Amino acid sequence: MKSILLFLTVLTSVCSCQSQQKELVTINGLTMGTTYSIKIVAADIALDEKKIHKDIESILTDINQSMSTYIADSELSLFNQSRITDWHVLSADLYRVIKHGNHISMISNGAFDITVSPLVNLWGFGPDPYTRDIPSDSLIESIKQHTGFEKLDFDESTQRISKSDPVVTIDLSGIAKGFAVDKIAEHLNGLGIADYLVEIGGELIGKGTNVKQQAWQIGIEQANPLERSVQRIVNLDNIAMATSGDYRNYFEKDGVRYSHTIDPVSGKPISHTLAAVTVLHSSAMHADALATAFMVSGPEKSLALANEVGVALYMLIKTDVGFEERYNDRFKPYLTN
Ligand code: ADP
Ligand code: MG
């Protein structure tokens, strides 16, 4: 069975990378079950590449130790393991990400829901060991009883959260990568670095310009040898970009594709014609979570929601003959072709 491959390409990386006055520094590594890549244009200020790499590793380690559900003693795992409905004091960053996740739940009518984790696990996309068996409707229903963002309460003044149902758990996989991108960008800003591209697992932020002193450019390519292919180039002009799709993380059984994105209403992997979405916004965290929300919502609702909340949205929609692309007015200025 062929799959849709949607490649994000950093177009400017295909250069000699050594123009006369500008040099490109690239830092790569692994985090959050994926890769990261940071490109910095060395300008007037001297760059201590080793120190920046160390700083970035330390920022990512801290985020994982706080937000990962794959680390048994992370701050989030401890909250998830606790079976009490009392208030939990959280670190500032964890509180902020959970609160923002909840905000995205509210504006997306529950399409994005960080309490969906037991369902993610049930379908084999979480930290638990899994089998590729299709769960019964009654099992899905019983697990769904313990999900729902409205089961979380927030105390803003003391940065505490509580769960009204003691077995509710939180999964930040759909928002933490974006948060980490923002956090690294803030760090680079603090160092006085003006031109950089930060990418973690396909979530990006582009600031300033590349070595050619043009906006950073990202190619969105739908490469499918048997179908019509679309190639778009996006100018990442001081903005973050997040992409979600049903093409990267899924399994197939009896000819049916099961995506890692779960519809919190049905408790099942999404099934509609939306193949991929790309969202642009000043915050990578916001764009990341909304991209997942749009994947759940489907093409029509997503377009309406994107316009309502003021984000730039690009979608690839499956049709009988291939793929159709749709985007809103806010996206247009970023398209170069
Ligand atoms: P994508 O880039 O395809 O959106 P992400 O990594 O951003 O992928 O988020 C998908 C992950 O978020 C899943 O692996 C799962 O852990 C979690 N998730 C799945 N469904 C939802 C949902 N409806 N709301 C929030 N998080 C979800
Ligand atoms: Mg996401």
Side-chain angles (χ1 to χ4, degrees), residues 174 244 288 292:
S244 285
D288 187 8
T292 302

Side-chain angles (χ1 to χ4, degrees), residues 279-324:
V279 178
L280 302 176
H281 189 263
S282 56
S283 153
M285 167 169 75
H286 194 67
D288 187 8
L290 274 177
T292 302
F294 291 143
M295 275 311 290
V296 173
S297 304
E300 301 306 328
K301 280 189 191 162
S302 293
L303 208 51
L305 180 58
N307 291 334
E308 192 187 316
V309 301
V311 298
L313 169 66
Y314 173 95
M315 302 183 283
L316 271 180
I317 300 161
K318 285 170 240 171
T319 67
D320 293 341
V321 289
F323 295 92
E324 176 201 352

Side-chain angles (χ1 to χ4, degrees), residues 133-288:
D133 290 336
I134 308 304
S136 68
D137 285 351
S138 59
L139 182 57
I140 293 169
E141 273 313 308
S142 68
I143 289 179
K144 251 180 62 186
Q145 301 307 309
H146 302 291
T147 67
F149 68 97
E150 68 290 339
K151 295 189 170 76
L152 296 176
D153 282 317
F154 295 83
D155 180 8
E156 196 72 33
S157 59
T158 55
Q159 298 198 329
R160 294 184 301 173
I161 66 166
S162 67
K163 38 186 171 182
S164 59
D165 173 344
V167 298
V168 162
T169 54
I170 292 176
D171 168 19
L172 298 175
S173 306
I175 187 169
K177 286 197 293 286
F179 172 78
V181 166
D182 286 334
K183 200 79 185 174
I184 291 171
E186 273 167 36
H187 180 73
L188 299 178
N189 291 343
L191 294 175
I193 297 171
D195 303 306
Y196 58 78
L197 183 75
V198 174
E199 184 258 338
I200 303 177
E203 323 298 10
L204 303 119
I205 201 161
K207 179 94 191 296
T209 54
N210 61 23
V211 277
K212 294 178 192 159
Q213 296 178 55
Q214 298 159 340
W216 296 96
Q217 292 195 327
I218 309 296
I220 306 180
E221 183 182 359
Q222 179 223 314
N224 189 335
L226 300 176
E227 316 270 8
R228 188 173 61 89
S229 117
V230 178
Q231 163 81 53
R232 287 294 194 172
I233 298 168
V234 177
N235 261 342
L236 212 59
D237 194 359
N238 293 298
I239 199 148
M241 169 170 159
T243 297
S244 285
D246 75 351
Y247 50 89
R248 247 184 329 201
N249 195 346
Y250 63 88
F251 71 91
E252 280 185 357
K253 192 157 181 164
D254 301 330
V256 180
R257 175 185 294 220
Y258 296 92
S259 161
H260 72 146
T261 304
I262 305 293
D263 180 345
V265 174
S266 68
K268 296 178 182 177
I270 50 168
S271 70
H272 48 59
T273 56
L274 192 48
V277 302
T278 293
V279 178
L280 302 176
H281 189 263
S282 56
S283 153
M285 167 169 75
H286 194 67
D288 187 8

